[in-house]
Amino acid sequence: VVESVKGVIFQTDVLGNWSFLNTAWSEITGYEVSDSIDQNILKFAYPDDRPQISKAFQVLIEEGTPTYRLEVRYLTRTGGFRWLEIMAYPTRDTALKVVGASGTLTDITDQKQAAEELQFRNTILQTQQEVSPDGILVVDEARNWISFNRQFVDMWDIPVEIVRERSNHSALAHIGEIVAEPDWYLKRVEHLYDNWSESGHDDISLVDGRTFEQYSVPMTGPNGQYYGRIWYHRDITERKETEEDRQST
């Protein structure tokens, strides 16, 4: 049963030397179990993670405190490393004295890589938002703000208290005060929220004479699930004025 488990099952002595490892150790790290027994747990750890592992092991041995979900890197025989999650508990003799540790090492490399890839993509999207000339607002299916850029806040002159609370209701109330046709605008926004599969493309006139181009698209997954909506806003005042000048001449 022990050898059929995908994760590593281990035991160490009080000095932190491996006293038992199942074959999953070899499958994950490439090191033979026979070559690893009696070797210290730190020998196989990624150098930068050794102090963290050493401290956790010391606390476990001296205080009998289990180690829960410690995520560290362990070296592989090919020169790389794998992310492992350590769950360790003190091993006691008949006199209840701590004589070592036992537990599991779970390979979480794939989860770590997926999380890093997601973080990388989010960083790219955030950077694109901040350098975009458009004011961008992203809301979820419940109309809660997920993301926005500085341009969006500046274009609509969103008060800082609304930005802090990320209130879609308060933001719309504020915008309703500065657009030339508030009733039409708010109804248009509600229509797009209620008809989530639709896209919207409108020119919005403001009371101060500016004109914003507003483009809104739904966010849907491969299975058609609705995740929210993205709103893009661009100041097209100069373009509108140029078009009007050409028409007048």
Side-chain angles (χ1 to χ4, degrees), residues 76-212:
T76 64
R77 193 179 186 89
T78 57
F81 66 85
R82 303 291 293 181
W83 279 98
L84 301 180
E85 180 183 77
I86 302 176
M87 299 282 284
Y89 306 88
T91 302
R92 301 177 186 272
D93 60 15
T94 55
L96 300 182
K97 179 182 178 181
V98 177
V99 293
S102 61
T104 58
L105 305 174
T106 303
D107 191 344
I108 58 171
T109 305
D110 290 345
Q111 297 95 306
K112 277 286 189 180
Q113 290 176 343
E116 290 174 0
E117 182 178 352
L118 179 60
Q119 180 61 45
F120 177 66
R121 290 181 178 179
N122 287 338
T123 300
I124 292 176
L125 290 174
Q126 187 64 39
T127 302
Q128 289 175 333
Q129 282 190 10
E130 289 305 322
V131 300
S132 172
D134 298 331
I136 302 173
L137 172 66
V138 184
V139 299
D140 63 17
E141 69 278 9
R143 307 187 187 185
N144 300 311
W145 287 17
I146 299 176
S147 177
F148 59 90
N149 64 355
R150 171 56 58 182
Q151 184 72 350
F152 168 75
V153 174
D154 292 342
M155 287 178 65
W156 291 104
D157 195 24
I158 307 293
V160 64
E161 58 269 17
I162 294 179
V163 174
R164 286 174 178 169
E165 65 183 14
R166 296 192 171 203
S167 171
N168 194 57
H169 176 77
S170 298
L172 281 175
H174 167 75
I175 292 173
E177 296 177 354
I178 62 177
V179 295
E181 300 179 77
D183 291 340
W184 174 86
Y185 178 78
L186 295 175
K187 286 180 181 178
R188 178 60 173 160
V189 170
E190 282 298 319
H191 173 82
L192 290 173
Y193 276 132
D194 292 339
N195 299 273
W196 58 263
S197 61
E198 291 187 18
S199 297
H201 189 187
D202 304 285
D203 289 349
I204 312 300
S205 298
L206 278 63
V207 294
D208 63 6
R210 290 179 297 164
T211 302
F212 290 169

